[in-house]
Amino acid sequence: MKIKILSFTIFTLLATTSWADKDIKPVIQGKTYSSFEMNIKTLPKPIKIIKGEPDECNGGNFPDQHDFGTFTVNDNNQIQTVHMLKNNAVIFYGKKLDASTTKSSFLKNFKNIAQQDEDNPNRFFASSSDDEYKSIQFYFKNNRLDYYRLWENDC
């Protein structure tokens, strides 16, 4: 009985990390992903590998990040940062945001969803309505969307 419960728990935990998210869908080099995951083994050699910093929550270090120039993916296959270059974008609450997205149009469309950072007026953050542990941060530069970061709280 204990093995069945343990197996079910492990299966449930693994399944929850790969569920699709209806609110936040990364678009990398024109391909839309339904989750924050990308199989790093299918990608070419990264430009550089950024060592993971200490993880106070889980002990040890965060996973290393593989930098591919316009996006990064960590050792756990989680998409981290996506720069608005080479057909990169994000589908956020049904709207596609790319390098042409202005800060004013973003605020007009998402003023009730995204919150502005108190310390940085060019940074906004929002959570998924599907999963409170998944969030996105948007960074604007020269009034245009420059890049976004995906984050999944596993603490």
Side-chain angles (χ1 to χ4, degrees):
M1 183 68 170
K2 288 182 181 181
I3 293 176
K4 285 183 180 179
I5 293 172
L6 180 62
S7 297
F8 177 76
T9 303
I10 290 171
F11 175 76
T12 303
L13 290 173
L14 290 174
T16 58
T17 62
S18 62
W19 284 351
D21 191 300
K22 68 176 181 152
D23 299 327
I24 305 169
K25 295 182 181 183
V27 179
I28 299 176
Q29 297 176 346
K31 181 178 178 184
T32 302
Y33 294 83
S34 60
S35 71
F36 290 10
E37 294 182 14
M38 175 187 277
N39 187 350
I40 199 164
K41 292 180 181 179
T42 64
L43 300 173
K45 184 177 177 181
I47 294 170
K48 65 181 174 180
I49 296 177
I50 304 161
K51 287 296 199 185
E53 296 179 6
D55 181 356
E56 296 173 6
C57 178
N58 295 318
N61 289 338
F62 284 107
D64 291 348
Q65 292 187 27
H66 300 254
D67 185 348
F68 295 94
T70 63
F71 65 96
T72 61
V73 179
N74 73 19
D75 281 339
N76 295 336
N77 296 314
Q78 296 291 310
I79 300 167
Q80 299 290 288
T81 303
V82 180
H83 294 271
M84 297 294 107
L85 302 166
K86 296 189 178 183
N87 296 322
N88 290 348
V90 63
I91 298 173
F92 183 62
Y93 283 83
K95 295 193 184 282
K96 187 174 183 179
L97 308 176
D98 58 21
S100 68
T101 302
T102 64
K103 187 175 169 181
S104 60
S105 69
F106 178 84
L107 290 170
K108 180 180 173 185
N109 288 308
F110 303 110
K111 64 182 173 190
N112 295 328
I113 298 171
Q115 300 168 347
Q116 188 172 26
D117 186 310
E118 292 178 4
D119 297 328
N120 183 346
N122 293 311
R123 186 171 88 168
F124 298 84
F125 58 93
S127 295
S128 167
S129 67
D130 282 346
D131 185 344
E132 66 186 53
Y133 296 108
K134 290 183 178 181
S135 63
I136 185 169
Q137 295 178 353
F138 297 96
Y139 294 82
F140 288 84
K141 182 178 179 181
N142 298 326
N143 200 38
R144 301 272 180 202
L145 182 58
D146 189 35
Y147 66 96
Y148 62 90
R149 286 191 177 145
L150 301 174
W151 188 67
E152 191 167 358
N153 185 357
D154 64 350
C155 193

